[in-house]
Amino acid sequence: MERLIVPRPNHLRRNLIILTVVFLVVGSGWFAGFDFVQIFRNFIKGGRLLRRMFLPPAWSYAPKVVTPLIETLRMALVGTFWGALTALPVAVFAANNFIRNPYVNKPLRFILNIFRTIPAMVLASLFVAVFGTGPFSGVLALSVFTFGLISKLTYESIEAIDYGQVEALMSLGATKVNVLRYAILPQILPQFMSYTMYGFEVNVRAAAVLGYVGAGGIGQTFEHNLAWREFDKVGVIIVISFFVVLVIDLVSSRIRRSLV
Amino acid sequence: MIQFQNVSKVYPNGTKALNDVNLEIKEGEFVAIIGLSGAGKSTMLRLINQLIDATSGSVLVDGVDVTKAKGKKLREVRRQIGMIFQGFNIVKRASVLTNVLSGRVGYHPSWKTVLGIFPEEDKQIAYRALQRVDILEKVHSRASDLSGGQQQRVAIARALAQEPKLMLADEPVASLDPITTVQVMDYLKKINREDGITTVANLHHVDLALKYATRVVGVREGRLVYDMPIKGIDKPRFFKDLEKVYGRPIEHDDVLEEV
């Protein structure tokens, strides 16, 4: 049988991409002073530190961890609540299939994008500067952070709904609010709940470190013990926080899966 | 009841959907609009309740020029017009009752309906509407748990709850199997006859048009090319006539049953 001759595939584009990525990774590592030798040299020092933290942790300190830990969870809960509550109405106005006016939703999205790019830590240090140290600043930071996260996810969900249901409600003489209530909310509510739970998971993790800038919660206790070089107490904080975050993540993601 | 006066529609992408259409539909008629997909059938229906607006010309419903109606006035026109869709478009995550009650929102202040407050009479209206389409026993089911035919009956019940004067049906049976198709069409016909609700339906199958409609309107490339009361018309002649609408003989795919 005759051999078929086909042109060789053109891999130029692919190869260029690979080359660029390798160049960027290696280049950034070099620029940031990444050094394998350093890692190995500090290994022994790190091992000694870990031993002081975890072999064994100061279990007797555990009861003292409970109060700040609960404060952390409270901060996450309240922050998620306010963030989600404000995100829902704003998301409705940012969705371009509900508000057809680009002069409303384009600027709104721009603002939401700005909110989302600010890390919770930066927000927290900002609020600490204004409102002083303590959990109140942390809650504010988490609220704003959650608001940015959930509003974005929610307006994208609204834009992806089955528009036929909206059309049907319009066709029977419904006002905008009724369209929202009967055609849009039922479609996005499960997703919105899921985003809120996800926000809570993220917030528990964020709240745990916010204390570092003085915004309350377990981070503050952590920082305090680290400063006094009480590594065995730091170990307890890490172990307990780890398990609490793990359990919350597991439970929450289980619930989220059943929602959508 | 409905008048199209020199109606044209050009979509923003430049598609000429309707070209100078004139048509008058009288009270109590059952009009089937037929034509190839893209001929302008859906556009005609959506102009009647202003889900889309006309580029030129006017559409009158009960003497009111809907192309000029806005806000409250438009909503008052719309609540007298029931509409059912190919994709049913009921709220899947809500109960059957909520869906049917939503047909009543045009009659009450928004703040009440948003809170889900409906007077007892409205619930009675909803139950009766469900009874008309023999699905009252599903009143508390979640809409997504129903079959396609049942969902379309809920959609009809929602339209009935509006106590409409006019019923629009946009390919109401295109997503249904032949048996449920006949059921749904029978309900539409019954409502048209017993309540005197004027009905305009886009139909894909020409034999359904012949069986259920009192008048058939054919559109081709945005123009009306056929308009005939079809009482007593015989099938071979009807199908021959429709070649004008389709630009080709009627094929196997154009009918539900055998030719």
Side-chain angles (χ1 to χ4, degrees):
Chain A
M1 216 186 287
E2 196 193 345
R3 277 171 61 86
L4 294 175
I5 308 294
V6 293
R8 288 169 62 82
N10 186 356
H11 287 314
L12 182 68
R13 217 175 93 93
R14 187 195 66 184
N15 292 344
L16 271 177
I17 291 173
I18 293 175
L19 206 72
T20 315
V21 170
V22 169
F23 177 77
L24 282 175
V25 171
V26 173
S28 326
W30 180 75
F31 207 76
F34 186 79
D35 187 356
F36 279 106
V37 182
Q38 280 281 339
I39 295 180
F40 286 111
R41 206 179 289 157
N42 285 310
F43 223 81
I44 302 158
K45 208 156 98 190
R48 212 160 46 219
L49 191 67
L50 285 177
R51 257 199 306 280
R52 285 183 62 187
M53 273 156 85
F54 297 115
L55 291 177
W59 289 120
S60 58
Y61 186 66
K64 289 239 164 104
V65 176
V66 174
T67 317
L69 195 65
I70 288 177
E71 185 179 79
T72 307
L73 295 183
R74 273 206 201 121
M75 281 163 58
L77 201 67
V78 178
T80 311
F81 176 80
W82 287 114
L85 199 71
T86 42
L88 187 61
V90 174
V92 168
F93 282 95
N96 65 12
N97 56 349
F98 184 68
I99 303 288
R100 288 279 161 119
N101 184 350
Y103 293 103
V104 175
N105 48 50
K106 283 262 167 65
L108 202 55
R109 279 158 189 239
F110 183 71
I111 296 168
L112 292 185
N113 273 331
I114 293 175
F115 270 114
R116 230 161 21 84
T117 49
I118 309 173
M121 268 308 231
V122 175
L123 288 169
S125 23
L126 212 70
F127 286 124
V128 166
V130 180
F131 299 100
T133 54
F136 179 68
S137 299
V139 168
L140 277 182
L142 292 176
S143 305
V144 174
F145 176 72
T146 315
F147 167 79
L149 178 78
I150 296 186
S151 56
K152 156 101 171 166
L153 291 168
T154 306
Y155 85 67
E156 279 175 353
S157 284
I158 295 177
E159 286 176 1
I161 60 165
D162 165 19
Y163 197 71
Q165 298 178 28
V166 174
E167 216 178 21
L169 259 291
M170 272 167 34
S171 82
L172 54 81
T175 54
K176 279 241 158 185
V177 228
N178 275 317
V179 171
L180 192 64
R181 160 74 171 78
Y182 287 97
I184 296 179
L185 285 186
Q187 291 192 63
I188 60 140
L189 224 44
Q191 273 139 310
F192 174 74
M193 303 283 264
S194 159
Y195 299 148
T196 305
M197 309 245 6
Y198 172 68
F200 180 64
E201 287 170 44
V202 175
N203 280 346
V204 169
R205 273 173 265 155
V209 293
L210 283 188
Y212 234 84
V213 293
I218 190 103
Q220 226 155 307
T221 321
F222 183 88
E223 202 256 332
H224 177 83
N225 282 299
L226 205 60
W228 288 98
R229 303 182 65 78
E230 308 222 44
F231 293 116
D232 48 350
K233 292 184 179 172
V234 171
V236 173
I237 297 174
I238 291 178
V239 169
I240 295 182
S241 308
F242 174 78
F243 277 106
V244 169
V245 170
L246 194 72
V247 168
I248 288 176
D249 270 16
L250 279 178
V251 172
S252 166
S253 58
R254 174 71 54 87
I255 298 175
R256 279 197 286 131
R257 232 172 303 146
S258 67
L259 272 175
V260 188
Chain B
M1 177 96 209
I2 307 171
Q3 281 169 289
F4 281 75
Q5 295 172 343
N6 311 101
V7 178
S8 296
K9 173 69 187 176
V10 183
Y11 283 105
N13 65 11
T15 315
K16 276 193 179 165
L18 282 186
N19 200 339
D20 196 26
V21 168
N22 285 286
L23 177 71
E24 182 168 0
I25 293 169
K26 295 209 169 55
E27 205 160 331
E29 281 191 290
F30 192 127
V31 178
I33 303 177
I34 58 167
L36 292 168
S37 41
K41 305 185 297 267
S42 226
T43 306
M44 279 183 74
L45 278 198
R46 272 148 220 267
L47 280 167
I48 297 172
N49 60 8
Q50 286 292 294
L51 283 180
I52 55 176
D53 49 7
T55 309
S56 62
S58 16
V59 181
L60 274 61
V61 176
D62 255 352
V64 178
D65 186 350
V66 294
T67 55
K68 292 194 176 63
K70 281 202 171 60
K72 194 170 160 57
K73 183 98 190 140
L74 178 60
R75 290 198 300 275
E76 272 166 14
V77 174
R78 279 177 173 169
R79 74 177 184 197
Q80 310 171 23
I81 307 176
M83 186 168 193
I84 60 172
F85 302 82
Q86 173 177 355
F88 321 136
N89 290 353
I90 56 175
V91 179
K92 308 266 187 309
R93 288 188 201 273
S95 72
V96 167
L97 180 61
T98 305
N99 268 288
V100 180
L101 276 177
S102 75
R104 301 293 303 164
V105 297
Y107 291 94
H108 306 293
S110 287
W111 69 267
K112 276 192 178 172
T113 52
V114 161
L115 295 174
I117 303 170
F118 290 93
E120 191 53 37
E121 306 98 83
D122 278 22
K123 284 184 193 145
Q124 287 300 320
I125 291 171
Y127 299 150
R128 273 197 295 276
L130 285 166
Q131 197 176 36
R132 286 296 295 280
V133 290
D134 299 310
I135 199 163
L136 184 55
E137 77 277 7
K138 298 283 186 195
V139 60
H140 296 302
S141 304
R142 202 176 137 111
S144 55
D145 292 340
L146 304 183
S147 70
Q150 290 171 326
Q151 290 192 20
Q152 193 62 298
R153 275 145 70 190
V154 171
I156 296 175
R158 175 174 65 185
L160 279 178
Q162 290 173 244
E163 302 182 309
K165 291 185 184 160
L166 174 63
M167 183 82 93
L168 308 175
D170 189 15
E171 302 272 7
V173 292
S175 349
L176 299 176
D177 61 71
I179 292 166
T180 35
T181 290
V182 171
Q183 277 180 6
V184 165
M185 289 305 298
D186 282 343
Y187 285 120
L188 285 177
K189 184 71 194 171
K190 190 172 100 176
I191 290 158
N192 165 252
R193 219 170 3 213
E194 290 174 4
D195 302 12
I197 296 175
T198 315
T199 304
V200 186
N202 290 341
L203 290 174
H204 177 74
H205 296 118
V206 294
D207 53 342
L208 285 181
L210 183 64
K211 184 172 168 198
Y212 289 98
T214 56
R215 174 179 171 193
V216 172
V217 168
V219 279
R220 183 178 178 186
E221 290 166 3
R223 289 175 187 278
L224 286 197
V225 292
Y226 182 78
D227 183 359
M228 192 72 78
I230 50 165
K231 203 169 178 195
I233 199 167
D234 64 5
K235 211 182 210 180
R237 196 188 126 209
F238 179 60
F239 280 16
K240 190 84 199 138
D241 279 353
L242 291 186
E243 291 179 15
K244 269 203 293 243
V245 179
Y246 284 73
R248 55 163 173 75
I250 297 305
E251 291 167 358
H252 181 75
D253 282 349
D254 304 327
V255 292
L256 187 67
E257 286 152 36
E258 288 308 301
V259 183

